[in-house]
Amino acid sequence: MRTTTRKIMITVLAAILSCGSTLTANAQDDDRTWLQVRTVQVKTDRMGDFIDLQKALVEASVDAGRPGRSVWREVRGDTATFHFVTSADNMAELDEPFDPPMDDDDWSDWVDDIMETTRHISRQILRSHREWTLPPTDDSDPDLLLLRTIDVKSGSMADFHVWIRDRLLPALKSGNAGGITFNHVAFGGDTSTWIIGARVPDWAALQSRRGNLAHMNDFEYGSLMRSMAAMTEGAELRVLRYQPELSW
């Protein structure tokens, strides 16, 4: 049983190292970026061991020249939850065989050890719509990320695309917003789900519920939000903090 479980865990963890539909009918496949997101829930009494093991993995991966990843940790709610994100320009990259960054014995030991620190791992593959991405206004490392998960009503996806393109994006741009990404669940979850990430400098910036839309007057903001509510079934907000020591 332990051998079978470990093989399953190796497969799951391997994808951590190798980290939806188009927004317009004219978008080309090579304009899309695929994201693999591994959500890892850590045993609270093994947090130190988990972080030490991840740092060892970072060192080995950098030495081996492995593709980079970004790591985020939830800072409210389940603070023992980490999100590991890697990107691919096309799905074919996900077919490439996994080559551990350590020799076989060290890798086997690492997997055995990491198994003991985690309580749950899940995976999603997202389409990141970079044609609508608003780049950060500076090149500093991110700190906090406001993650908004939106469930779009059945039959409203096309209208939601138009709403983002023709209403939300112009409003964000007029407020000089930056560091915003639009992602659509492709595999591993409900494909009617959108995940919109927005970089924020600190908690004080989250005090205003309007955030990057604070420049809008009451009528404009209310109209924008009502039109979104007509197409969606709810939204969830999470705040994540970037983990530079676990990223490369």
Side-chain angles (χ1 to χ4, degrees):
M1 174 66 75
R2 180 174 174 80
T3 299
T4 300
T5 302
R6 189 168 69 81
K7 287 181 178 179
I8 293 172
M9 183 63 83
I10 288 174
T11 300
V12 171
L13 292 170
I16 292 177
L17 298 176
S18 62
C19 196
S21 64
T22 60
L23 293 179
T24 67
N26 296 324
Q28 301 297 313
D29 285 351
D30 56 6
D31 286 334
R32 310 170 194 168
T33 298
W34 299 90
L35 299 179
Q36 282 201 96
V37 180
R38 293 282 181 168
T39 300
V40 180
Q41 296 175 340
V42 181
K43 296 176 182 177
T44 54
D45 61 338
R46 300 297 303 275
M47 183 64 69
D49 296 329
F50 175 81
I51 290 175
D52 287 343
L53 286 164
Q54 290 297 333
K55 288 180 178 179
L57 182 59
V58 169
E59 183 178 356
S61 298
V62 170
D63 289 344
R66 295 293 186 268
R69 72 180 186 189
S70 63
V71 182
W72 303 80
R73 181 178 180 179
E74 298 196 15
V75 294
R76 289 296 183 272
D78 187 353
T79 59
T81 296
F82 292 76
H83 302 271
F84 296 78
V85 184
T86 56
S87 64
D89 288 332
N90 57 72
M91 291 289 284
E93 291 184 25
L94 306 182
D95 290 324
E96 296 176 0
F98 173 67
D99 181 22
M102 309 173 188
D103 63 40
D104 290 343
D105 288 342
D106 288 342
W107 178 245
S108 180
D109 290 343
W110 188 91
V111 171
D112 283 340
D113 291 340
I114 203 72
M115 281 177 57
E116 299 298 327
T117 70
T118 58
R119 53 189 171 90
H120 187 263
I121 298 176
S122 62
R123 170 189 177 186
Q124 286 186 325
I125 297 179
L126 312 179
R127 278 232 180 104
S128 181
H129 303 285
R130 59 189 179 190
E131 71 274 23
W132 284 8
T133 294
L134 299 180
T137 54
D138 60 61
D139 58 1
S140 62
D141 283 342
D143 185 16
L144 297 178
L145 182 73
L146 181 65
L147 207 63
R148 184 186 299 268
T149 301
I150 300 173
D151 296 322
V152 180
K153 290 180 180 179
S154 177
S156 296
M157 188 65 77
D159 291 337
F160 189 70
H161 292 176
V162 172
W163 177 82
I164 293 177
R165 185 191 65 207
D166 294 348
R167 299 202 60 185
L168 180 58
L169 274 175
L172 290 170
K173 290 177 180 178
S174 67
N176 298 315
I180 299 177
T181 61
F182 294 84
N183 311 284
H184 186 171
V185 174
F187 301 100
D190 190 335
T191 57
S192 65
T193 299
W194 281 78
I195 301 173
I196 301 174
R199 286 176 52 165
V200 290
D202 48 41
W203 278 99
L206 293 172
Q207 184 167 328
S208 170
R209 67 186 180 92
R210 296 190 183 186
N212 289 306
L213 301 175
H215 62 286
M216 302 180 74
N217 63 41
D218 290 346
F219 175 81
E220 293 169 335
Y221 181 80
S223 175
L224 184 69
M225 292 299 103
R226 285 192 298 272
S227 60
M228 181 188 74
M231 298 176 286
T232 61
E233 297 181 316
E236 180 182 56
L237 288 175
R238 296 182 181 181
V239 180
L240 281 58
R241 173 164 278 125
Y242 183 58
Q243 305 293 297
E245 74 279 8
L246 305 184
S247 307
W248 76 88

